[in-house]
């Protein structure tokens, strides 16, 4: 399941930051280093929860700094 | 029984900065910077503070009243996170310099950027309660963020600095709501404890910008859901011809609108963009030129909507207010052609155009003086010669300025 979530996060990230299209995106690089600002990061969390149809408060995911960390945090709420 | 806004006006100081100049000086990425949707921001001068801004916003409203109407003001509520004293409220100064009747309640409210809505809703409910029929309430939402080079500020400055503003919105609330008639009982609230942004020490913002943004998104969704529970048949798109959000910067509003349109209406990206242009953009006009004035911002967005929207027929406006910490509310009301005419009498666009345009050097020079003007300053005299270029733009225009602190007591002068 985590791999599926990772895939969704990656797709969302490219949707928010089209400049990453075709780039090799490391799962452990911070969103900040990937060039995502606060607004991009917020949008990424919101969009990921929507795609997975998860009704969880977005603030639960504020500590996730990388794709891997976000995927792990999301997986906890996803059955 | 009607209640709402009889008159509203803003004052956002005498100086502004083009935020493109700031982005250039701070090496902010231009494409990403455009997403902030900011154009200018008001910069507080040493002779301006939350009191002088509040008085200047309210003065034209008070001058437009008859003596009898002026004497029917039963409360002056100041709404701010930029208080100048832990005990004494700013409302006492404002009441004094406006020459209002002494049989009046004077107090101050706080909850970050939600304060203006808290004050406004208290005033509206005072009118609805009919505890004192025919009486009015003056609500002054006033906030300021003085930039300085002090150590310890922990905000992400790439967002904070281009968007923080200075200014006040004055609102006269009564049973004659020519400007904005509120929908009675149409309020959805949502609040909880969260440490997103705050002012734990005087004169400085601290916090986590990511957390604040996520909390804002949670609240804009959940306050509307509560509104829907209380207002039968309410629809995010069909019920409101315009939306006015608390606007830390335009990009954040765009993000919240996009998220809500997907959530509530399953809207596609192109529909969302069109809807944003039509229903939200009028609210951003003033916000893009003033910056975030915290407790006053959702009222600034509301005023901007009424001034810049099409009100040839009456329109319903949905208002969303968010204050860190946090407390939020979605409420609504109706404005008409007459509302727009009434708002235009105070010539806000001219006021914004008349602000002195600071260079980066002049802007950064204010930081040094800001360091001297910290919370708790006992004695201070404003040196008007230091910013005479800016001061001269308001001289002779019946504005009030902050001139001195004498044993903690602030003194103001009409110029």
């Amino acid at each position: 399941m985590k791999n599926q979530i990772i895939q969704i996060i990656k797709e969302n990230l490219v949707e928010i930051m089209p400049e990453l299209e075709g780039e090799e995106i490391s799962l452990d690089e911070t969103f900040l280093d990937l060039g995502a600002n606060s607004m991009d990061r917020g949008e990424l969390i919101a969009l990921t929860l929507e795609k997975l149809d998860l009704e969880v408060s977005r603030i639960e995911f504020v500590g996730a700094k990388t794709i891997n960390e976000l995927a792990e945090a999301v997986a906890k709420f996803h059955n | 029984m009607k209640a709402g806004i009889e008159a509203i006006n803003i004052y956002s100081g005498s100086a502004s900065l083009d935020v493109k100049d700031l982005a250039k000086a701070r090496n902010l990425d231009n494409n990403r910077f455009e997403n902030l949707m900011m154009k200018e921001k008001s910069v507080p001068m040493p002779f301006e503070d939350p009191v002088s801004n509040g008085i200047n916003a309210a003065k034209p409203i008070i001058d437009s009243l008859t003596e009898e109407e002026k004497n029917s003001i039963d409360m002056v509520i100041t709404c701010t996170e930029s208080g100048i004293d832990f005990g004494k409220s700013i409302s006492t100064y404002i009441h004094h310099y406006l020459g209002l009747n002494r049989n009046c309640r004077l107090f101050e409210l706080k909850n970050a950027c939600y304060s203006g809505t808290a004050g406004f809703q208290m005033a509206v409910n005072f009118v609805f309660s009919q505890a004192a029929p025919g009486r009015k309430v003056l609500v002054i939402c006033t906030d300021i963020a003085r930039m300085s080079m002090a150590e310890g500020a922990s905000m992400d400055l790439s967002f904070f600095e281009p968007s923080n503003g200075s200014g006040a919105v004055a609102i006269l609330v009564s049973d004659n709501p020519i400007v904005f008639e509120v929908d009675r009982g149409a309020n959805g609230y949502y609040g909880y404890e969260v440490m997103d942004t705050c002012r734990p020490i005087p004169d400085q913002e601290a916090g986590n910008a990511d957390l604040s943004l996520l909390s804002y998104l949670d609240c804009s969704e959940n306050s509307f859901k509560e509104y829907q529970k209380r207002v039968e048949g309410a629809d995010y798109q069909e019920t409101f011809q315009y939306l006015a959000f608390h606007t830390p910067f335009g990009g954040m509003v765009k993000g919240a609108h996009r998220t809500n349109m997907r959530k509530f209406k399953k809207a596609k990206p192109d529909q969302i963009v069109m809807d944003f242009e039509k229903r939200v953009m009028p609210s951003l006009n003033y916000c893009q030129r003033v910056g975030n004035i915290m407790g006053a911002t959702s009222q600034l967005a509301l005023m901007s909507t009424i001034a810049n929207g099409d009100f040839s027929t009456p329109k319903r406006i949905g208002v969303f207010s968010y204050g860190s910490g946090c407390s939020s509310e979605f409420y609504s009301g109706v404005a008409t052609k007459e509302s727009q005419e009434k708002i235009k009498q105070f010539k806000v666009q001219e006021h914004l155009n008349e602000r002195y345009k600071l260079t980066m050097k002049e802007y950064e020079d204010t930081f040094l003086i800001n360091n001297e003007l910290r919370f708790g300053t006992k004695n201070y005299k404003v040196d008007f010669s230091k910013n005479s270029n800016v001061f001269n733009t308001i001289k002779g225009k019946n504005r009030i300025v902050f001139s001195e602190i004498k044993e903690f007591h602030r003194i103001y002068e009409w110029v």
Side-chain angles (χ1 to χ4, degrees), chain A residues 17 19 35 37-43 45-47 50 54-55 57-59 62, chain B residues 32 35 159 192 209-211 213-215 217-218 221 225 249 251 258-259 262-263:
Chain A
M17 301 173 66
E19 62 270 32
N37 60 28
S38 295
M39 276 163 63
D40 300 329
R41 298 192 290 266
E43 183 87 8
I45 291 168
L47 207 53
E50 280 169 43
L54 279 182
E55 288 288 336
S57 167
R58 298 168 184 90
I59 65 171
V62 71
Chain B
R32 314 305 282 166
N35 293 339
F159 279 87
Y192 51 92
D210 284 30
L211 183 56
L213 188 112
L214 293 167
S215 186
L217 291 178
D218 274 354
E221 177 188 336
K225 279 184 177 166
F249 49 87
R258 192 164 52 227
T259 305
R262 280 197 309 256
K263 195 100 189 177

